[in-house]
Amino acid sequence: MTTPILIDCDPGHDDAIALLLALASPEVELLGVTTVSGNQTLEKTTANALRVLEFVGRGDVEVAAGAEQPLVRPRFVAEYVHGESGLDGPSLPPPRGGPVARHAVDFLAERILGSDEPVTLLPVGPLTNVALLLARHPAAAERLGRIVLMGGSIAEGNVTPAAEFNVWADPEAAERVFSSGLDVTMIGLDVTHRALVTPTHAARLRDSGRTGTMVAELLDFYSVFHRETYGFDGSPIHDAVAVAHVLRPGLVETAHRHVAVETGSELCRGRTVVDLWRRTGHEPNAHVGVGIDAEAFVELLLERLATLD
Ligand code: BDR
Ligand code: CA
Protein backbone atom coordinates (compact mmCIF):
# COMPACT_ATOMS: atom_id res chain seq x y z
CA MET A 1 0.00 0.00 0.00
CA THR A 2 1.22 3.50 -0.79
CA THR A 3 1.30 5.95 2.10
CA PRO A 4 0.18 9.49 1.27
CA ILE A 5 2.62 12.02 2.73
CA LEU A 6 3.01 15.76 3.06
CA ILE A 7 6.44 17.29 3.70
CA ASP A 8 6.70 20.56 5.60
CA CYS A 9 10.27 21.78 5.12
CA ASP A 10 12.85 24.57 5.05
CA PRO A 11 15.32 23.56 2.28
CA GLY A 12 18.10 23.34 3.36
CA HIS A 13 20.49 20.69 2.06
CA ASP A 14 19.09 17.75 4.00
CA ASP A 15 15.51 18.89 3.33
CA ALA A 16 16.27 18.85 -0.40
CA ILE A 17 17.67 15.32 -0.15
CA ALA A 18 14.63 14.26 1.90
CA LEU A 19 12.35 15.54 -0.87
CA LEU A 20 14.33 13.62 -3.48
CA LEU A 21 14.22 10.43 -1.41
CA ALA A 22 10.44 10.72 -1.14
CA LEU A 23 10.06 11.36 -4.88
CA ALA A 24 12.21 8.32 -5.65
CA SER A 25 10.24 5.97 -3.39
CA PRO A 26 7.19 3.99 -4.52
CA GLU A 27 6.13 3.33 -0.90
CA VAL A 28 4.91 6.93 -0.56
CA GLU A 29 2.92 9.42 -2.58
CA LEU A 30 3.93 13.04 -2.08
CA LEU A 31 0.65 15.02 -1.94
CA GLY A 32 2.37 18.37 -1.66
CA VAL A 33 5.13 20.36 -0.04
CA THR A 34 4.83 23.22 2.41
CA THR A 35 7.58 25.59 3.42
CA VAL A 36 8.53 27.44 6.56
CA SER A 37 11.17 29.90 7.63
CA GLY A 38 14.11 28.05 9.17
CA ASN A 39 17.37 27.28 7.46
CA GLN A 40 16.76 30.41 5.42
CA THR A 41 13.96 32.95 5.00
CA LEU A 42 10.57 31.74 3.79
CA GLU A 43 11.14 33.33 0.40
CA LYS A 44 14.35 31.33 -0.06
CA THR A 45 13.11 28.02 1.38
CA THR A 46 10.06 28.22 -0.90
CA ALA A 47 12.19 28.97 -3.96
CA ASN A 48 14.52 26.11 -2.99
CA ALA A 49 11.68 23.59 -2.69
CA LEU A 50 10.52 24.60 -6.17
CA ARG A 51 14.07 24.45 -7.58
CA VAL A 52 14.58 20.92 -6.28
CA LEU A 53 11.22 19.64 -7.56
CA GLU A 54 11.76 21.25 -10.96
CA PHE A 55 15.30 19.86 -11.19
CA VAL A 56 13.89 16.33 -11.22
CA GLY A 57 10.96 17.23 -13.48
CA ARG A 58 8.40 17.22 -10.65
CA GLY A 59 7.17 20.79 -10.93
CA ASP A 60 3.70 19.22 -10.81
CA VAL A 61 4.02 18.72 -7.03
CA GLU A 62 2.37 21.76 -5.49
CA VAL A 63 4.26 23.92 -3.01
CA ALA A 64 2.53 26.20 -0.50
CA ALA A 65 4.41 28.79 1.53
CA GLY A 66 3.69 29.10 5.23
CA ALA A 67 5.01 30.96 8.24
CA GLU A 68 7.55 33.72 7.77
CA GLN A 69 8.61 33.62 11.39
CA PRO A 70 8.20 31.54 14.55
CA LEU A 71 5.07 31.89 16.71
CA VAL A 72 6.63 34.27 19.22
CA ARG A 73 10.43 34.26 18.81
CA PRO A 74 12.38 36.43 16.39
CA ARG A 75 13.43 34.75 13.17
CA PHE A 76 16.88 33.13 13.10
CA VAL A 77 18.22 31.51 9.95
CA ALA A 78 21.00 28.92 9.67
CA GLU A 79 23.04 30.62 6.96
CA TYR A 80 26.19 29.34 8.70
CA VAL A 81 25.18 25.77 7.77
CA HIS A 82 23.25 26.11 4.51
CA GLY A 83 24.75 29.25 2.98
CA GLU A 84 23.31 32.48 1.66
CA SER A 85 20.79 30.78 -0.64
CA GLY A 86 19.90 28.06 1.87
CA LEU A 87 21.03 25.56 -0.75
CA ASP A 88 24.58 26.61 -1.57
CA GLY A 89 26.75 24.31 -3.65
CA PRO A 90 25.20 23.29 -6.97
CA SER A 91 24.16 25.93 -9.47
CA LEU A 92 20.44 25.34 -9.62
CA PRO A 93 18.49 27.78 -11.79
CA PRO A 94 15.85 29.98 -10.16
CA PRO A 95 12.39 28.39 -10.13
CA ARG A 96 10.19 28.74 -13.20
CA GLY A 97 6.98 28.22 -11.25
CA GLY A 98 5.76 29.64 -7.99
CA PRO A 99 3.92 28.51 -4.86
CA VAL A 100 0.15 28.07 -4.92
CA ALA A 101 -1.92 31.05 -3.79
CA ARG A 102 -2.90 29.48 -0.48
CA HIS A 103 -1.25 29.56 2.91
CA ALA A 104 0.59 26.34 3.77
CA VAL A 105 -1.67 25.71 6.74
CA ASP A 106 -4.86 25.84 4.65
CA PHE A 107 -3.18 23.77 1.95
CA LEU A 108 -2.20 21.10 4.48
CA ALA A 109 -5.75 20.93 5.84
CA GLU A 110 -7.20 20.64 2.35
CA ARG A 111 -4.84 17.82 1.38
CA ILE A 112 -5.36 15.92 4.65
CA LEU A 113 -9.15 16.14 4.39
CA GLY A 114 -9.10 15.31 0.69
CA SER A 115 -7.17 12.06 1.11
CA ASP A 116 -8.97 8.71 1.29
CA GLU A 117 -6.13 7.24 3.33
CA PRO A 118 -4.74 8.79 6.52
CA VAL A 119 -1.86 11.11 5.65
CA THR A 120 1.57 10.99 7.27
CA LEU A 121 2.87 14.51 7.88
CA LEU A 122 6.65 14.92 7.81
CA PRO A 123 7.71 18.22 9.37
CA VAL A 124 11.45 18.63 8.86
CA GLY A 125 11.84 22.29 9.75
CA PRO A 126 10.71 24.44 12.68
CA LEU A 127 7.20 23.36 13.70
CA THR A 128 5.46 26.71 13.18
CA ASN A 129 3.18 25.57 10.34
CA VAL A 130 2.19 22.41 12.21
CA ALA A 131 1.29 24.36 15.36
CA LEU A 132 -0.79 26.73 13.23
CA LEU A 133 -2.51 23.75 11.58
CA LEU A 134 -3.46 22.40 15.02
CA ALA A 135 -4.92 25.78 15.97
CA ARG A 136 -6.71 26.67 12.73
CA HIS A 137 -7.77 23.27 11.44
CA PRO A 138 -8.09 20.91 14.41
CA ALA A 139 -10.47 18.60 12.53
CA ALA A 140 -7.92 18.15 9.75
CA ALA A 141 -5.12 17.56 12.24
CA GLU A 142 -7.23 14.85 13.92
CA ARG A 143 -7.48 13.06 10.57
CA LEU A 144 -3.71 12.72 10.26
CA GLY A 145 -2.39 9.19 10.38
CA ARG A 146 0.74 10.33 12.17
CA ILE A 147 3.43 12.96 12.38
CA VAL A 148 7.03 11.90 11.82
CA LEU A 149 9.15 14.93 12.57
CA MET A 150 12.85 15.62 12.39
CA GLY A 151 13.78 17.59 15.44
CA GLY A 152 14.88 17.43 19.03
CA SER A 153 17.37 15.22 20.76
CA ILE A 154 17.64 13.17 23.92
CA ALA A 155 21.20 13.96 24.73
CA GLU A 156 22.83 16.65 22.63
CA GLY A 157 22.30 19.91 20.83
CA ASN A 158 23.46 21.38 17.55
CA VAL A 159 22.41 25.03 17.79
CA THR A 160 23.14 25.27 21.52
CA PRO A 161 24.57 22.60 23.85
CA ALA A 162 20.99 21.95 24.96
CA ALA A 163 18.91 22.05 21.80
CA GLU A 164 18.43 20.92 18.24
CA PHE A 165 17.78 23.62 15.62
CA ASN A 166 14.18 22.88 14.54
CA VAL A 167 12.86 22.77 18.09
CA TRP A 168 15.06 25.63 19.30
CA ALA A 169 13.90 27.86 16.42
CA ASP A 170 10.24 27.67 17.48
CA PRO A 171 9.98 25.97 20.86
CA GLU A 172 6.42 27.15 21.52
CA ALA A 173 5.28 25.52 18.28
CA ALA A 174 7.14 22.30 19.11
CA GLU A 175 5.59 22.21 22.58
CA ARG A 176 2.12 22.35 21.00
CA VAL A 177 2.92 19.51 18.65
CA PHE A 178 4.31 17.20 21.36
CA SER A 179 1.34 17.90 23.64
CA SER A 180 -1.26 17.60 20.85
CA GLY A 181 -2.27 14.03 21.60
CA LEU A 182 -1.54 13.08 17.99
CA ASP A 183 0.67 10.16 17.02
CA VAL A 184 4.10 11.81 16.98
CA THR A 185 7.47 10.28 16.12
CA MET A 186 10.61 12.25 16.94
CA ILE A 187 13.65 11.63 14.75
CA GLY A 188 16.33 13.53 16.63
CA LEU A 189 20.07 14.05 16.60
CA ASP A 190 20.57 10.86 18.62
CA VAL A 191 19.89 8.91 15.45
CA THR A 192 20.69 11.36 12.65
CA HIS A 193 24.23 12.03 13.92
CA ARG A 194 24.91 8.29 13.76
CA ALA A 195 24.19 7.89 10.04
CA LEU A 196 26.69 9.89 8.04
CA VAL A 197 27.01 10.13 4.30
CA THR A 198 30.78 10.11 3.78
CA PRO A 199 32.97 11.37 0.90
CA THR A 200 33.10 7.77 -0.39
CA HIS A 201 29.29 7.71 -0.56
CA ALA A 202 29.33 11.14 -2.20
CA ALA A 203 31.69 9.80 -4.88
CA ARG A 204 29.21 7.00 -5.60
CA LEU A 205 26.46 9.57 -5.94
CA ARG A 206 28.55 11.71 -8.28
CA ASP A 207 28.95 8.70 -10.57
CA SER A 208 25.28 7.81 -10.50
CA GLY A 209 23.86 10.42 -12.84
CA ARG A 210 22.57 13.97 -12.99
CA THR A 211 20.68 14.03 -9.69
CA GLY A 212 23.42 12.12 -7.90
CA THR A 213 25.93 14.71 -9.10
CA MET A 214 23.73 17.55 -7.85
CA VAL A 215 23.38 15.87 -4.44
CA ALA A 216 27.15 15.32 -4.29
CA GLU A 217 27.57 19.06 -4.89
CA LEU A 218 25.13 19.78 -2.07
CA LEU A 219 27.21 17.50 0.16
CA ASP A 220 30.47 19.22 -0.82
CA PHE A 221 29.12 22.39 0.76
CA TYR A 222 27.12 20.85 3.62
CA SER A 223 29.98 18.64 4.83
CA VAL A 224 32.20 21.63 5.62
CA PHE A 225 30.08 22.64 8.64
CA HIS A 226 30.01 19.07 9.94
CA ARG A 227 33.75 18.58 9.52
CA GLU A 228 34.64 21.89 11.15
CA THR A 229 32.11 21.70 13.99
CA TYR A 230 32.07 18.02 14.94
CA GLY A 231 35.05 16.56 13.14
CA PHE A 232 32.63 14.29 11.25
CA ASP A 233 33.94 12.54 8.15
CA GLY A 234 30.62 13.07 6.39
CA SER A 235 27.21 14.66 6.82
CA PRO A 236 24.10 13.63 8.71
CA ILE A 237 21.14 13.88 6.32
CA HIS A 238 18.77 14.59 9.22
CA ASP A 239 15.53 15.13 7.31
CA ALA A 240 15.98 12.15 5.03
CA VAL A 241 16.07 9.88 8.09
CA ALA A 242 12.47 10.89 8.85
CA VAL A 243 11.45 9.93 5.31
CA ALA A 244 13.41 6.67 5.52
CA HIS A 245 11.62 5.79 8.76
CA VAL A 246 8.31 5.96 6.89
CA LEU A 247 9.68 3.91 3.98
CA ARG A 248 11.30 1.20 6.11
CA PRO A 249 9.71 0.61 9.50
CA GLY A 250 12.36 -0.78 11.80
CA LEU A 251 15.24 1.10 10.22
CA VAL A 252 15.02 3.49 13.17
CA GLU A 253 14.36 1.90 16.55
CA THR A 254 11.96 3.93 18.67
CA ALA A 255 10.92 4.04 22.31
CA HIS A 256 7.50 5.34 23.38
CA ARG A 257 8.28 8.09 25.88
CA HIS A 258 7.11 11.43 27.22
CA VAL A 259 8.72 14.48 25.62
CA ALA A 260 8.41 18.01 27.03
CA VAL A 261 9.86 21.10 25.39
CA GLU A 262 11.67 23.76 27.41
CA THR A 263 10.20 27.16 26.58
CA GLY A 264 11.07 29.07 29.76
CA SER A 265 14.78 29.23 30.26
CA GLU A 266 17.14 30.84 27.80
CA LEU A 267 19.95 28.40 28.68
CA CYS A 268 17.92 25.33 27.75
CA ARG A 269 15.54 26.92 25.23
CA GLY A 270 14.11 24.29 22.91
CA ARG A 271 15.51 21.32 24.78
CA THR A 272 13.40 18.20 24.26
CA VAL A 273 13.26 16.67 27.71
CA VAL A 274 12.78 12.98 26.99
CA ASP A 275 11.71 10.83 29.92
CA LEU A 276 13.86 7.93 28.77
CA TRP A 277 13.91 6.14 32.14
CA ARG A 278 10.25 6.92 32.91
CA ARG A 279 10.96 9.09 35.93
CA THR A 280 7.99 11.47 35.62
CA GLY A 281 4.99 9.20 35.50
CA HIS A 282 3.72 11.17 32.49
CA GLU A 283 2.08 9.13 29.75
CA PRO A 284 4.27 8.74 26.65
CA ASN A 285 3.42 11.21 23.89
CA ALA A 286 6.03 10.37 21.26
CA HIS A 287 7.90 7.53 19.62
CA VAL A 288 11.47 8.67 20.08
CA GLY A 289 14.25 7.48 17.79
CA VAL A 290 16.88 5.74 19.92
CA GLY A 291 18.77 3.60 17.41
CA ILE A 292 19.41 3.42 13.68
CA ASP A 293 20.72 0.90 11.19
CA ALA A 294 23.03 3.47 9.64
CA GLU A 295 24.27 1.26 6.84
CA ALA A 296 20.75 0.33 5.76
CA PHE A 297 19.76 4.00 5.78
CA VAL A 298 22.69 5.11 3.64
CA GLU A 299 22.25 2.22 1.22
CA LEU A 300 18.54 2.96 0.84
CA LEU A 301 19.25 6.64 0.26
CA LEU A 302 21.97 6.06 -2.33
CA GLU A 303 20.05 3.36 -4.12
CA ARG A 304 16.92 5.51 -4.41
CA LEU A 305 18.71 8.70 -5.44
CA ALA A 306 20.44 6.78 -8.22
CA THR A 307 17.05 6.03 -9.76
CA LEU A 308 16.35 9.71 -10.34
CA ASP A 309 17.48 11.08 -13.67
C1 BDR B 1 17.67 20.24 11.35
O1 BDR B 1 17.93 21.64 11.27
C2 BDR B 1 18.15 22.02 9.93
O2 BDR B 1 19.33 22.76 9.82
C3 BDR B 1 18.18 20.77 9.11
O3 BDR B 1 17.54 21.00 7.87
C4 BDR B 1 17.41 19.77 9.93
O4 BDR B 1 16.03 19.82 9.67
C5 BDR B 1 18.83 19.56 12.03
O5 BDR B 1 18.98 20.07 13.31
CA1 CA C 1 15.16 21.00 7.73
Side-chain angles (χ1 to χ4, degrees):
M1 202 186 73
T2 311
T3 305
I5 64 168
L6 287 159
I7 298 185
D8 182 64
C9 58
D10 60 336
H13 293 67
D14 54 325
D15 304 73
I17 298 170
L19 287 173
L20 295 171
L21 176 60
L23 291 171
S25 296
E27 298 90 340
V28 294
E29 184 194 1
L30 184 58
L31 300 182
V33 173
T34 53
T35 53
V36 67
S37 163
N39 287 326
Q40 257 299 351
T41 61
L42 180 69
E43 197 186 340
K44 291 181 182 177
T45 60
T46 305
N48 289 343
L50 291 161
R51 292 161 84 202
V52 170
L53 293 168
E54 289 176 4
F55 182 84
V56 287
R58 293 303 309 271
D60 59 300
V61 176
E62 290 189 322
V63 175
E68 267 175 298
Q69 59 190 58
L71 295 182
V72 295
R73 309 276 177 162
R75 186 174 69 196
F76 174 90
V77 298
E79 185 160 332
Y80 62 101
V81 184
H82 299 273
E84 195 260 324
S85 71
L87 213 49
D88 279 14
S91 57
L92 292 170
R96 288 185 300 277
V100 297
R102 291 197 292 302
H103 191 280
V105 172
D106 302 325
F107 177 87
L108 287 172
E110 180 192 296
R111 290 291 147 109
I112 294 163
L113 294 172
S115 172
D116 292 335
E117 297 296 327
V119 171
T120 294
L121 176 60
L122 284 141
V124 295
L127 289 150
T128 323
N129 286 341
V130 187
L132 292 172
L133 174 74
L134 294 171
R136 281 179 59 158
H137 299 288
E142 282 293 319
R143 287 274 300 277
L144 278 170
R146 62 177 175 150
I147 296 175
V148 178
L149 66 89
M150 191 283 135
S153 169
I154 303 170
E156 57 180 306
N158 63 354
V159 63
T160 71
E164 180 281 330
F165 177 78
N166 288 339
V167 176
W168 178 90
D170 196 343
E172 286 74 18
E175 203 280 322
R176 290 182 192 194
V177 173
F178 280 105
S179 60
S180 66
L182 299 179
D183 184 337
V184 174
T185 298
M186 171 179 132
I187 302 294
L189 301 177
D190 317 277
V191 287
T192 66
H193 273 181
R194 283 196 237 152
L196 305 183
V197 171
T198 66
T200 310
H201 298 132
R204 258 173 74 189
L205 279 167
R206 217 179 298 271
D207 289 342
S208 75
R210 187 177 151 271
T211 301
T213 302
M214 189 273 279
V215 172
E217 288 167 3
L218 283 173
L219 293 171
D220 289 343
F221 184 90
Y222 192 49
S223 60
V224 174
F225 169 79
H226 296 100
R227 188 169 53 243
E228 288 177 352
T229 308
Y230 311 104
F232 285 173
D233 181 32
S235 305
I237 317 295
H238 307 281
D239 298 346
V241 178
V243 174
H245 182 59
V246 175
L247 302 177
R248 289 270 171 90
L251 194 140
V252 174
E253 182 197 345
T254 61
H256 201 204
R257 293 293 185 269
H258 186 266
V259 180
V261 178
E262 174 59 52
T263 55
S265 98
E266 204 39 47
L267 179 66
C268 291
R269 164 184 169 175
R271 180 161 190 92
T272 43
V273 180
V274 178
D275 186 8
L276 194 61
W277 304 116
R278 298 172 180 265
R279 306 309 301 150
T280 65
H282 295 319
E283 284 299 311
N285 59 1
H287 303 277
V288 178
V290 292
I292 184 167
D293 183 340
E295 203 181 318
F297 164 70
V298 174
E299 282 308 316
L300 176 69
L301 181 66
L302 266 53
E303 193 185 286
R304 293 290 164 89
L305 293 177
T307 67
L308 294 169
D309 185 26

